Amino acid sequence: MDDKQQKNQKELASKAQVGSEASARAMRGSESSKTVGETESLAVTEQMMKEVLDKENLKEALRKVMENKGAAGIDGMTVDKLPAYLKDNWRRVRKELLEGKYAPRAVRRVEIPKVGGVRQLGIPCAIDRFIQTALQQVFQKHWDGTFSQHSYGFRPGRSQHQAIKQAQEYVSSELRWVVDLDLEKFFDRVQHDVLMGRIARRVKDKRVLKLVRAFLNAGMMEDGLVKPIEEGVPQGGPLSPILSNLLLDDLDKELEKRGLRFVRFADDCNIYVASKRAGDRVMESITKFLSKRLRLKVNEAKSAVGRPWERKFLGFTFTRQEQPRRRIAPVALKRVKDKIRKLINRKRGDSLKQIMEELSGYLRGWNGYFGYCQTPTVLQKLERWVRRKLRCLIWKRWKCGPTRFKRLRALGLTVNQARSGAGSGAHGPWRMSRAPALNSALSVTYFQTLGLPKLECFDTA
């Protein structure tokens, strides 16, 4: 490690120490604002660190980390090497955790593409991922029962499909306007002091508070240099989801206090009201609440008051019928087609078998989520479109008339059918993909034998 990196690490350690003191002040302040009964019901005892380091909790944390795999952090250590590392170093790491002296390493910056840009992830080192998971499990056990019933993200026994179903029920009950809230760069904008204040309401063990603050301030390595993180919760770490739920629980409680009907999954929140005027009032007041109380900003470009069938929620939208049905949002359909085009690109040099394996795996996963729609004709049209793309690919690869004739005959066509199909070389692949000869040879059954899954709705209730 060069001098500049050492200097950065020292500065980060100093910030973590200052942060822990701020956490302690926040804890004292938050305790004084609550009754003794409320504090006792929410705050965990001074023994929380021992609970984190409980043998069974650590076993489960290690199992999850090994199961999830994931990329290596800045130290280059992969999760398969973690058990051996723990065997040699756990006694020292445990001592540092119990004494409140553990110093997490910086996370490794990774960018992944998303609609309209890139999402910035922070990948912790394997040992830090293990400790974060152990922390997260204890937090989940103590906090989950206090969260709102309208919160569905990153919670055991809850899912995106349940959130969509609840939204559908609101629309069915004549709440035909939605306040669609989008928080601007939520994970990047979380204020550490605000978040630590919420944690300190529930945690008395100062070692845990100091450790969480250290993870928040660990910094991010980019281009070989460690840069400090002064705000935000790095996406990619096991702690981020539970901490985001804790912070946004204030929003949930505020909406419940006002008697509003809403659904929240992580930072996606939809509030259902009976009129546009009511929606405009809610949008204005909640925007102020988020700004003043949680120091979060609403993305005005992506947030709006509109009809549920004109907005999307978790990739779905609804029909405008009296009893609305779930349908796939147009942007989600565009996204799946863009992905399929890349997988079936005629310029790919991979074998048809390899392309079919990738395509089939992707479509099975996609259908496992979007098969929750109630519009089977949309899936049928998508299936037909996929088969046409595959026929285009195969026809192009057959290249010339003699090869095409031979292939069509091998697939069971008569001499006249094969000659007619192979002699249509003047037409392009997309037009040929609808030709009777090619449809007979490369039929639905043919693609099923190659492993192409059927796309269908699995829950129409």
Side-chain angles (χ1 to χ4, degrees):
M1 183 179 293
D2 58 31
D3 293 340
K4 193 167 186 179
Q5 286 179 312
Q6 288 179 349
K7 183 179 179 182
N8 282 337
Q9 291 286 9
K10 288 179 181 179
E11 289 177 356
L12 292 171
S14 176
K15 286 194 174 191
Q17 179 65 33
V18 172
S20 67
E21 293 171 1
S23 301
R25 291 195 298 271
M27 179 182 70
R28 290 193 293 271
S30 62
E31 286 175 350
S32 64
S33 65
K34 301 179 73 65
T35 65
V36 174
E38 288 175 316
T39 302
E40 289 295 325
S41 65
L42 288 176
V44 184
T45 70
E46 294 280 359
Q47 301 302 310
M48 178 177 271
M49 183 58 80
K50 290 185 179 179
E51 193 174 352
V52 171
L53 300 178
D54 175 75
K55 186 176 181 180
E56 293 304 315
N57 186 56
L58 294 174
K59 279 184 179 180
E60 178 63 12
L62 181 60
R63 185 192 67 79
K64 286 182 179 178
V65 171
M66 298 294 292
E67 186 178 87
N68 293 335
K69 299 185 183 298
I74 63 171
D75 60 356
M77 185 173 76
T78 53
V79 293
D80 59 307
K81 297 178 181 177
L82 182 58
Y85 177 88
L86 290 173
K87 184 177 181 180
D88 295 336
N89 297 276
W90 179 243
R91 182 174 296 181
R92 171 186 58 80
V93 173
R94 185 177 187 277
K95 183 173 183 290
E96 290 175 357
L97 289 168
L98 286 171
E99 294 176 354
K101 295 179 180 179
Y102 184 78
R105 296 170 177 82
V107 297
R108 181 169 65 88
R109 179 178 176 175
V110 175
E111 290 185 347
I112 59 173
K114 70 171 185 177
V115 179
V118 295
R119 176 176 286 111
Q120 184 174 294
L121 300 183
I123 307 300
C125 295
I127 179 62
D128 290 337
R129 212 176 306 167
F130 167 64
I131 296 170
Q132 283 194 36
T133 302
L135 263 177
Q136 179 268 335
Q137 289 173 169
V138 173
F139 287 166
Q140 194 87 53
K141 180 174 69 173
H142 288 285
W143 298 353
D144 191 74
T146 70
F147 290 155
S148 168
Q149 63 175 334
H150 305 290
S151 167
Y152 291 86
F154 312 120
R155 298 182 62 189
R158 289 174 168 256
S159 68
Q160 290 168 294
H161 289 164
Q162 291 174 339
I164 295 160
K165 178 69 172 177
Q166 181 60 72
Q168 184 181 16
E169 291 176 4
Y170 287 145
V171 179
S172 300
S173 66
E174 299 302 317
L175 297 176
R176 294 298 181 111
W177 289 88
V178 59
V179 180
D180 186 358
L181 285 174
D182 183 273
L183 298 178
E184 188 172 284
K185 297 182 178 179
F186 169 71
F187 285 95
D188 298 331
R189 296 286 173 83
V190 171
Q191 298 291 312
H192 290 175
D193 288 339
V194 175
L195 177 58
M196 289 305 303
R198 269 61 182 177
I199 299 173
R201 294 175 184 174
R202 298 167 179 253
V203 177
K204 283 184 176 180
D205 195 323
K206 295 179 181 178
R207 297 167 299 182
V208 173
L209 292 172
K210 186 176 180 181
L211 180 61
V212 173
R213 173 68 84 159
F215 276 122
L216 292 176
N217 288 343
M220 181 175 291
M221 178 169 280
E222 183 180 2
D223 298 326
L225 296 176
V226 176
K227 298 181 179 180
I229 297 177
E230 297 179 353
E231 62 178 7
V233 180
Q235 294 186 70
L239 269 180
S240 299
I242 186 74
L243 296 183
S244 68
N245 270 339
L246 175 64
L247 183 64
L248 291 175
D249 190 56
D250 277 25
L251 171 63
D252 298 341
K253 296 300 191 290
E254 178 67 19
L255 295 174
E256 288 175 346
K257 187 173 72 174
R258 299 185 187 191
L260 293 168
R261 303 292 183 264
F262 70 98
V263 183
R264 184 178 66 78
F265 190 97
D267 56 333
D268 287 328
C269 183
N270 276 7
I271 307 166
Y272 294 87
V273 294
S275 68
K276 187 176 188 305
R277 180 179 294 181
D280 289 337
R281 287 198 304 267
V282 170
M283 176 67 83
E284 182 180 1
S285 60
I286 292 301
T287 298
K288 290 180 180 177
F289 171 85
L290 288 166
S291 176
K292 292 181 179 179
R293 184 75 68 85
L294 301 181
R295 300 185 200 173
L296 296 173
K297 185 179 180 181
V298 171
N299 188 329
E300 295 181 3
K302 294 184 178 180
S303 301
V305 177
R307 295 293 195 175
W309 46 87
E310 296 171 348
R311 307 297 298 177
K312 68 177 179 67
F313 180 57
L314 302 177
F316 286 83
T317 184
F318 305 102
T319 61
R320 63 174 70 200
Q321 300 160 313
E322 184 176 348
Q323 292 300 317
R325 292 183 298 163
R326 300 182 295 271
R327 65 185 180 93
I328 303 170
V331 67
L333 281 173
K334 180 182 182 303
R335 200 174 301 153
V336 67
K337 284 190 172 185
D338 289 343
K339 177 66 174 180
I340 291 169
R341 284 189 184 97
K342 291 180 180 178
L343 291 173
I344 312 180
N345 192 318
R346 280 177 271 165
K347 294 181 180 179
R348 285 188 62 175
D350 300 306
S351 67
L352 180 62
K353 180 181 178 182
Q354 184 174 346
I355 291 173
M356 288 301 302
E357 286 177 354
E358 290 183 36
L359 176 65
S360 299
Y362 172 73
L363 287 176
R364 276 191 289 271
W366 185 88
N367 191 226
Y369 181 75
F370 285 102
Y372 191 60
C373 72
Q374 296 172 308
T375 50
T377 54
V378 174
L379 297 180
Q380 292 164 7
K381 288 180 180 178
L382 181 60
E383 261 193 291
R384 289 196 293 270
W385 181 83
V386 171
R387 288 195 294 269
R388 282 196 70 181
K389 295 294 290 182
L390 286 168
R391 290 188 189 109
C392 284
L393 173 69
I394 294 171
W395 185 252
K396 189 73 174 177
R397 289 190 169 190
W398 285 350
K399 293 184 178 180
C400 59
T403 301
R404 289 167 178 169
F405 176 81
K406 182 180 178 181
R407 298 283 187 173
L408 291 172
R409 286 285 290 141
L411 289 169
L413 267 61
T414 65
V415 172
N416 288 337
Q417 288 174 324
R419 185 178 293 121
S420 173
S424 303
H427 302 310
W430 185 246
R431 182 172 174 179
M432 279 303 302
S433 66
R434 297 187 65 178
L438 205 58
N439 272 262
S440 296
L442 305 178
S443 63
V444 174
T445 303
Y446 171 79
F447 286 118
Q448 286 177 345
T449 61
L450 294 181
L452 189 68
K454 181 176 179 57
L455 303 181
E456 53 190 349
C457 302
F458 56 78
D459 186 348
T460 56

